[in-house]
Amino acid sequence: MRLEREYYERRLTSQTATIGQLGTSGHRGSSLHGTFTEAHILAITQAICDYRRSQKINGPLYMGKDTHALSAPAQRTALEVLAANNVELSSSPTMA
């Protein structure tokens, strides 16, 4: 699937590093335009981990996902970063 291939293969550039949009329902963009890539999710998730650490937040984190085509790859990327940072996740039936 091209969307998923572009998600993993596209790299951030000076133009795409800041183009993605964050809204009340999450990160918006397209891997085809380089605005929703693994690099974005890695950076956003690491920033969340860094913020939690700086604020001494150590309780479980709840992470949701939706039905968009890149939700599963983005969830896998985020889970890898959270695990590497020893962030405990709250269990949810949608995180299977």
Side-chain angles (χ1 to χ4, degrees):
M1 163 191 216
R2 183 174 173 214
L3 277 174
E4 193 166 334
R5 186 179 70 247
E6 293 288 331
Y7 170 81
Y8 287 110
E9 292 178 0
R10 285 242 184 173
R11 298 293 170 237
L12 294 179
T13 67
S14 59
Q15 288 183 318
T16 61
T18 58
I19 292 178
Q21 296 178 341
L22 290 174
T24 56
S25 59
H27 182 286
R28 297 282 179 233
S30 170
S31 62
L32 300 178
H33 300 121
T35 55
F36 190 100
T37 65
E38 183 179 43
H40 283 105
I41 302 304
L42 288 167
I44 291 166
T45 309
Q46 186 60 53
I48 291 167
C49 293
D50 294 346
Y51 178 79
R52 287 171 54 92
R53 190 175 304 107
S54 75
Q55 299 299 306
K56 299 185 181 358
I57 298 169
N58 57 14
L61 179 130
Y62 177 82
M63 181 173 70
K65 95 177 194 184
D66 61 23
T67 59
H68 286 89
L70 293 176
S71 290
Q75 182 184 40
R76 282 190 298 274
T77 299
L79 288 172
E80 289 172 2
V81 174
L82 295 169
N85 283 274
N86 297 312
V87 173
E88 178 186 351
L89 294 173
S90 177
S91 62
S92 166
T94 61
M95 290 180 44

